[in-house]
Amino acid sequence: EANSKLQITLDGLHWIFVAQGSSSVCEAIAVSRISPLLRYRRLSAFDCFVLGYCVSHSDCPWKIDLEDCGIGDKGVEMLVRGTQEIEPCRSGYISVLVLKQNHITGDGLNQLWKSPAMLKLNRLDLSFNLLGNGGATPLLRSSMGHCIGELHLHKTGIGVEDCQAIGELLSSSPT
């Protein structure tokens, strides 16, 4: 029943958002429901908002792959803003988020932990972004940092401060 309600919501959103120019997001969501494969597509900030909105109006975990979509910090901000539209009776969240190679800086990354839909994030791939020294530290020290089971930071330019935060996180982890 949850999938049929989600489908009704997505069908209605599809027509609204296609008129606004975000058909690629709607098509990917319509095909795969909760694991839209959007990698290598150019997405606008509005597309990211649509994606977040769909997560917030669902009842299930989502696996989202946005590798090399060019969303940047603004796209992350809009994804988070869309997820903040959560209805009280909904429990949708993002369990896997691949943001590899999207020109995201520490500023954009630190938008993520502001979203309740990210609090159960199990896997986060930030490889090939420009986080810089200290860029990941606020996220790692947030409540979200303790939930992430798999974190990819290959070629992100993180520095000593981030490594210390990772060390603190690992030392406080029960596993």
Side-chain angles (χ1 to χ4, degrees):
E1 185 178 324
N3 278 340
S4 63
K5 287 181 183 177
L6 177 60
Q7 182 57 42
I8 291 167
T9 302
L10 291 175
D11 288 344
L13 288 173
H14 177 76
W15 295 109
I16 294 167
F17 294 131
V18 166
Q20 297 291 325
S22 65
S23 60
S24 63
V25 170
C26 291
E27 288 167 9
I29 291 170
V31 168
S32 65
R33 299 290 179 262
I34 57 173
S35 297
L37 181 60
L38 296 165
R39 68 170 51 169
Y40 311 123
R41 298 185 190 196
R42 290 290 158 235
L43 300 180
S44 69
F46 184 73
D47 291 327
C48 294
F49 178 83
V50 169
L51 188 56
Y53 186 88
C54 289
V55 168
S56 71
H57 285 77
S58 72
D59 293 317
C60 50
W62 287 60
K63 296 177 182 178
I64 300 174
D65 187 341
L66 298 175
E67 181 179 340
D68 196 19
C69 289
I71 65 170
D73 290 346
K74 186 65 174 175
V76 172
E77 177 187 340
M78 294 305 289
L79 176 67
V80 168
R81 191 176 294 172
T83 63
Q84 290 173 335
E85 301 287 326
I86 291 180
E87 294 181 5
C89 62
R90 300 293 184 183
S91 59
Y93 65 92
I94 299 174
S95 64
V96 175
L97 183 58
V98 178
L99 293 173
K100 187 176 185 178
Q101 199 170 341
N102 270 294
H103 310 287
I104 298 168
T105 68
D107 293 337
L109 173 62
N110 290 313
Q111 296 291 318
L112 284 181
W113 64 272
K114 297 177 181 178
S115 170
M118 303 290 179
L119 294 178
K120 295 181 183 177
L121 190 62
N122 185 44
R123 177 175 178 244
L124 179 60
D125 189 342
L126 297 165
S127 301
F128 299 98
N129 283 295
L130 310 169
L131 303 182
N133 187 24
T137 301
L139 173 79
L140 292 167
R141 291 189 173 145
S142 72
S143 57
M144 182 181 154
H146 295 280
C147 298
I148 299 172
E150 192 178 320
L151 179 62
H152 298 263
L153 294 169
H154 183 67
K155 296 207 177 197
T156 56
I158 63 169
V160 174
E161 188 178 342
D162 297 302
C163 292
Q164 288 172 338
I166 291 170
E168 292 168 11
L169 188 62
L170 290 173
S171 68
S172 68
S173 175
T175 57

